[in-house]
PDB file of all heavy atoms in Angstrom:
ATOM      1  N   ARG L  98      22.657  -8.311  -3.315  1.00 97.00           N
ATOM      2  CA  ARG L  98      24.041  -8.371  -2.828  1.00 97.00           C
ATOM      3  C   ARG L  98      24.606  -6.985  -2.553  1.00 97.00           C
ATOM      4  O   ARG L  98      25.302  -6.777  -1.558  1.00 97.00           O
ATOM      5  CB  ARG L  98      24.914  -9.109  -3.836  1.00 97.00           C
ATOM      6  CG  ARG L  98      24.579 -10.591  -3.888  1.00 97.00           C
ATOM      7  CD  ARG L  98      25.510 -11.346  -4.803  1.00 97.00           C
ATOM      8  NE  ARG L  98      25.207 -12.768  -4.689  1.00 97.00           N
ATOM      9  CZ  ARG L  98      25.904 -13.731  -5.275  1.00 97.00           C
ATOM     10  NH1 ARG L  98      26.935 -13.404  -6.039  1.00 97.00           N
ATOM     11  NH2 ARG L  98      25.578 -14.984  -5.112  1.00 97.00           N
ATOM     12  N   LEU L 112      28.722   4.089  10.079  1.00 96.00           N
ATOM     13  CA  LEU L 112      28.259   5.225   9.276  1.00 96.00           C
ATOM     14  C   LEU L 112      26.796   5.042   8.870  1.00 96.00           C
ATOM     15  O   LEU L 112      26.333   3.920   8.730  1.00 96.00           O
ATOM     16  CB  LEU L 112      29.112   5.328   8.002  1.00 96.00           C
ATOM     17  CG  LEU L 112      30.571   5.711   8.190  1.00 96.00           C
ATOM     18  CD1 LEU L 112      31.374   5.361   6.943  1.00 96.00           C
ATOM     19  CD2 LEU L 112      30.698   7.196   8.509  1.00 96.00           C
ATOM     20  N   ARG L 133      10.987   5.290  -0.834  1.00 98.00           N
ATOM     21  CA  ARG L 133      10.296   4.575   0.233  1.00 98.00           C
ATOM     22  C   ARG L 133       9.178   3.774  -0.409  1.00 98.00           C
ATOM     23  O   ARG L 133       8.818   4.024  -1.543  1.00 98.00           O
ATOM     24  CB  ARG L 133       9.677   5.568   1.224  1.00 98.00           C
ATOM     25  CG  ARG L 133      10.711   6.261   2.082  1.00 98.00           C
ATOM     26  CD  ARG L 133      10.025   6.999   3.214  1.00 98.00           C
ATOM     27  NE  ARG L 133      11.020   7.531   4.129  1.00 98.00           N
ATOM     28  CZ  ARG L 133      10.754   7.912   5.365  1.00 98.00           C
ATOM     29  NH1 ARG L 133       9.519   7.842   5.838  1.00 98.00           N
ATOM     30  NH2 ARG L 133      11.701   8.365   6.138  1.00 98.00           N
ATOM     31  N   GLU L 141      13.305  13.112   0.759  1.00 98.00           N
ATOM     32  CA  GLU L 141      14.530  13.906   0.704  1.00 98.00           C
ATOM     33  C   GLU L 141      15.157  13.837   2.082  1.00 98.00           C
ATOM     34  O   GLU L 141      14.489  14.056   3.091  1.00 98.00           O
ATOM     35  CB  GLU L 141      14.215  15.352   0.321  1.00 98.00           C
ATOM     36  CG  GLU L 141      13.897  15.474  -1.154  1.00 98.00           C
ATOM     37  CD  GLU L 141      13.378  16.837  -1.532  1.00 98.00           C
ATOM     38  OE1 GLU L 141      13.646  17.801  -0.784  1.00 98.00           O
ATOM     39  OE2 GLU L 141      12.694  16.915  -2.556  1.00 98.00           O
ATOM     40  N   VAL L 191      21.120 -24.614  -5.792  1.00 96.00           N
ATOM     41  CA  VAL L 191      20.126 -25.367  -6.549  1.00 96.00           C
ATOM     42  C   VAL L 191      19.929 -24.600  -7.850  1.00 96.00           C
ATOM     43  O   VAL L 191      19.592 -23.419  -7.816  1.00 96.00           O
ATOM     44  CB  VAL L 191      18.783 -25.455  -5.785  1.00 96.00           C
ATOM     45  CG1 VAL L 191      17.758 -26.247  -6.586  1.00 96.00           C
ATOM     46  CG2 VAL L 191      18.983 -26.054  -4.396  1.00 96.00           C
ATOM     47  N   ARG L 237      -1.353  -9.803  -4.242  1.00 98.00           N
ATOM     48  CA  ARG L 237      -1.092 -10.423  -2.940  1.00 98.00           C
ATOM     49  C   ARG L 237      -2.327 -11.086  -2.365  1.00 98.00           C
ATOM     50  O   ARG L 237      -2.220 -12.086  -1.643  1.00 98.00           O
ATOM     51  CB  ARG L 237      -0.547  -9.373  -1.968  1.00 98.00           C
ATOM     52  CG  ARG L 237      -0.241  -9.959  -0.613  1.00 98.00           C
ATOM     53  CD  ARG L 237       0.635  -9.087   0.221  1.00 98.00           C
ATOM     54  NE  ARG L 237       0.987  -9.792   1.422  1.00 98.00           N
ATOM     55  CZ  ARG L 237       0.504  -9.511   2.625  1.00 98.00           C
ATOM     56  NH1 ARG L 237      -0.309  -8.491   2.781  1.00 98.00           N
ATOM     57  NH2 ARG L 237       0.853 -10.223   3.666  1.00 98.00           N
ATOM     58  N   THR L 254       6.523  -6.550  -2.502  1.00 97.00           N
ATOM     59  CA  THR L 254       7.114  -7.713  -1.833  1.00 97.00           C
ATOM     60  C   THR L 254       7.047  -8.946  -2.736  1.00 97.00           C
ATOM     61  O   THR L 254       7.129 -10.071  -2.264  1.00 97.00           O
ATOM     62  CB  THR L 254       6.431  -7.988  -0.477  1.00 97.00           C
ATOM     63  OG1 THR L 254       5.011  -8.039  -0.685  1.00 97.00           O
ATOM     64  CG2 THR L 254       6.740  -6.897   0.522  1.00 97.00           C
ATOM     65  N   ARG L 291     -14.991   1.071 -13.110  1.00 97.00           N
ATOM     66  CA  ARG L 291     -14.365   2.036 -14.002  1.00 97.00           C
ATOM     67  C   ARG L 291     -13.418   2.982 -13.247  1.00 97.00           C
ATOM     68  O   ARG L 291     -12.515   3.563 -13.831  1.00 97.00           O
ATOM     69  CB  ARG L 291     -15.484   2.859 -14.651  1.00 97.00           C
ATOM     70  CG  ARG L 291     -15.078   3.757 -15.786  1.00 97.00           C
ATOM     71  CD  ARG L 291     -16.293   4.531 -16.296  1.00 97.00           C
ATOM     72  NE  ARG L 291     -17.221   3.688 -17.038  1.00 97.00           N
ATOM     73  CZ  ARG L 291     -17.182   3.566 -18.372  1.00 97.00           C
ATOM     74  NH1 ARG L 291     -16.295   4.215 -19.066  1.00 97.00           N
ATOM     75  NH2 ARG L 291     -18.047   2.792 -18.989  1.00 97.00           N
ATOM     76  N   ALA L 302      -8.623  -0.175 -21.300  1.00 98.00           N
ATOM     77  CA  ALA L 302      -9.445  -0.870 -20.316  1.00 98.00           C
ATOM     78  C   ALA L 302     -10.699  -1.435 -20.959  1.00 98.00           C
ATOM     79  O   ALA L 302     -11.217  -0.884 -21.932  1.00 98.00           O
ATOM     80  CB  ALA L 302      -9.823   0.079 -19.186  1.00 98.00           C
TER      81      ALA L 302
ATOM     82  N   GLU M  92       9.569   9.707  13.943  1.00 95.00           N
ATOM     83  CA  GLU M  92      10.324   8.739  13.156  1.00 95.00           C
ATOM     84  C   GLU M  92      11.710   8.487  13.761  1.00 95.00           C
ATOM     85  O   GLU M  92      12.373   9.421  14.202  1.00 95.00           O
ATOM     86  CB  GLU M  92      10.466   9.289  11.734  1.00 95.00           C
ATOM     87  CG  GLU M  92      11.059   8.292  10.802  1.00 95.00           C
ATOM     88  CD  GLU M  92      10.734   8.604   9.354  1.00 95.00           C
ATOM     89  OE1 GLU M  92       9.550   8.731   9.014  1.00 95.00           O
ATOM     90  OE2 GLU M  92      11.687   8.720   8.568  1.00 95.00           O
ATOM     91  N   ARG M 136      22.805  -4.501  10.940  1.00 98.00           N
ATOM     92  CA  ARG M 136      23.415  -3.719  12.028  1.00 98.00           C
ATOM     93  C   ARG M 136      23.286  -4.460  13.374  1.00 98.00           C
ATOM     94  O   ARG M 136      24.220  -4.479  14.175  1.00 98.00           O
ATOM     95  CB  ARG M 136      22.773  -2.333  12.128  1.00 98.00           C
ATOM     96  CG  ARG M 136      23.192  -1.395  10.983  1.00 98.00           C
ATOM     97  CD  ARG M 136      22.725   0.027  11.274  1.00 98.00           C
ATOM     98  NE  ARG M 136      22.884   0.917  10.150  1.00 98.00           N
ATOM     99  CZ  ARG M 136      23.994   1.625   9.874  1.00 98.00           C
ATOM    100  NH1 ARG M 136      25.055   1.539  10.670  1.00 98.00           N
ATOM    101  NH2 ARG M 136      24.037   2.419   8.826  1.00 98.00           N
ATOM    102  N   TRP M 170      18.613 -21.229  -6.581  1.00 96.00           N
ATOM    103  CA  TRP M 170      18.738 -20.908  -5.159  1.00 96.00           C
ATOM    104  C   TRP M 170      20.174 -20.998  -4.685  1.00 96.00           C
ATOM    105  O   TRP M 170      20.948 -21.783  -5.204  1.00 96.00           O
ATOM    106  CB  TRP M 170      17.898 -21.894  -4.337  1.00 96.00           C
ATOM    107  CG  TRP M 170      16.450 -21.843  -4.675  1.00 96.00           C
ATOM    108  CD1 TRP M 170      15.807 -22.637  -5.586  1.00 96.00           C
ATOM    109  CD2 TRP M 170      15.469 -20.966  -4.130  1.00 96.00           C
ATOM    110  NE1 TRP M 170      14.474 -22.285  -5.637  1.00 96.00           N
ATOM    111  CE2 TRP M 170      14.239 -21.282  -4.761  1.00 96.00           C
ATOM    112  CE3 TRP M 170      15.508 -19.944  -3.167  1.00 96.00           C
ATOM    113  CZ2 TRP M 170      13.054 -20.601  -4.461  1.00 96.00           C
ATOM    114  CZ3 TRP M 170      14.331 -19.272  -2.874  1.00 96.00           C
ATOM    115  CH2 TRP M 170      13.122 -19.597  -3.508  1.00 96.00           C
ATOM    116  N   GLU M 171      20.540 -20.192  -3.685  1.00 97.00           N
ATOM    117  CA  GLU M 171      21.812 -20.387  -2.986  1.00 97.00           C
ATOM    118  C   GLU M 171      21.506 -20.709  -1.525  1.00 97.00           C
ATOM    119  O   GLU M 171      20.574 -20.161  -0.940  1.00 97.00           O
ATOM    120  CB  GLU M 171      22.721 -19.147  -3.130  1.00 97.00           C
ATOM    121  CG  GLU M 171      22.027 -17.816  -3.031  1.00 97.00           C
ATOM    122  CD  GLU M 171      22.887 -16.622  -3.438  1.00 97.00           C
ATOM    123  OE1 GLU M 171      23.509 -16.660  -4.518  1.00 97.00           O
ATOM    124  OE2 GLU M 171      22.926 -15.656  -2.670  1.00 97.00           O
ATOM    125  N   GLU M 185       8.755 -12.357   2.026  1.00 98.00           N
ATOM    126  CA  GLU M 185       7.453 -12.970   1.799  1.00 98.00           C
ATOM    127  C   GLU M 185       7.623 -14.116   0.802  1.00 98.00           C
ATOM    128  O   GLU M 185       8.387 -14.000  -0.156  1.00 98.00           O
ATOM    129  CB  GLU M 185       6.455 -11.951   1.248  1.00 98.00           C
ATOM    130  CG  GLU M 185       5.039 -12.516   1.191  1.00 98.00           C
ATOM    131  CD  GLU M 185       4.025 -11.551   0.593  1.00 98.00           C
ATOM    132  OE1 GLU M 185       4.414 -10.654  -0.184  1.00 98.00           O
ATOM    133  OE2 GLU M 185       2.842 -11.701   0.900  1.00 98.00           O
ATOM    134  N   ILE M 221      14.066  14.885   5.564  1.00 97.00           N
ATOM    135  CA  ILE M 221      13.749  16.309   5.515  1.00 97.00           C
ATOM    136  C   ILE M 221      12.295  16.486   5.092  1.00 97.00           C
ATOM    137  O   ILE M 221      11.521  17.133   5.765  1.00 97.00           O
ATOM    138  CB  ILE M 221      14.689  17.050   4.536  1.00 97.00           C
ATOM    139  CG1 ILE M 221      16.139  16.910   5.020  1.00 97.00           C
ATOM    140  CG2 ILE M 221      14.289  18.523   4.415  1.00 97.00           C
ATOM    141  CD1 ILE M 221      17.178  17.336   3.999  1.00 97.00           C
ATOM    142  N   ARG M 222      11.937  15.888   3.964  1.00 97.00           N
ATOM    143  CA  ARG M 222      10.530  15.900   3.569  1.00 97.00           C
ATOM    144  C   ARG M 222      10.227  14.750   2.626  1.00 97.00           C
ATOM    145  O   ARG M 222      11.138  14.130   2.069  1.00 97.00           O
ATOM    146  CB  ARG M 222      10.139  17.231   2.938  1.00 97.00           C
ATOM    147  CG  ARG M 222      10.608  17.451   1.508  1.00 97.00           C
ATOM    148  CD  ARG M 222      10.106  18.780   0.979  1.00 97.00           C
ATOM    149  NE  ARG M 222      10.745  19.887   1.670  1.00 97.00           N
ATOM    150  CZ  ARG M 222      11.978  20.343   1.378  1.00 97.00           C
ATOM    151  NH1 ARG M 222      12.691  19.770   0.428  1.00 97.00           N
ATOM    152  NH2 ARG M 222      12.502  21.346   2.033  1.00 97.00           N
ATOM    153  N   LEU M 236     -11.867   0.441 -24.146  1.00 97.00           N
ATOM    154  CA  LEU M 236     -12.116  -0.297 -25.385  1.00 97.00           C
ATOM    155  C   LEU M 236     -13.565  -0.739 -25.494  1.00 97.00           C
ATOM    156  O   LEU M 236     -14.018  -1.093 -26.583  1.00 97.00           O
ATOM    157  CB  LEU M 236     -11.194  -1.519 -25.463  1.00 97.00           C
ATOM    158  CG  LEU M 236      -9.690  -1.232 -25.437  1.00 97.00           C
ATOM    159  CD1 LEU M 236      -8.903  -2.536 -25.391  1.00 97.00           C
ATOM    160  CD2 LEU M 236      -9.271  -0.397 -26.639  1.00 97.00           C
ATOM    161  N   GLU M 238     -17.345  -2.257 -23.123  1.00 98.00           N
ATOM    162  CA  GLU M 238     -17.883  -2.915 -21.936  1.00 98.00           C
ATOM    163  C   GLU M 238     -18.225  -4.342 -22.276  1.00 98.00           C
ATOM    164  O   GLU M 238     -18.822  -4.601 -23.324  1.00 98.00           O
ATOM    165  CB  GLU M 238     -19.130  -2.169 -21.452  1.00 98.00           C
ATOM    166  CG  GLU M 238     -18.771  -0.837 -20.821  1.00 98.00           C
ATOM    167  CD  GLU M 238     -19.932  -0.216 -20.059  1.00 98.00           C
ATOM    168  OE1 GLU M 238     -20.887  -0.944 -19.736  1.00 98.00           O
ATOM    169  OE2 GLU M 238     -19.857   0.996 -19.803  1.00 98.00           O
TER     170      GLU M 238
END
Side-chain angles (χ1 to χ4, degrees):
Chain L
R98 290 184 174 186
L112 293 163
R133 288 192 173 198
E141 285 171 22
V191 180
R237 181 164 186 252
T254 51
R291 190 181 288 266
Chain M
E92 188 159 305
R136 287 190 190 272
W170 299 93
E171 40 191 49
E185 188 182 24
I221 299 168
R222 76 178 68 80
L236 300 175
E238 288 193 18

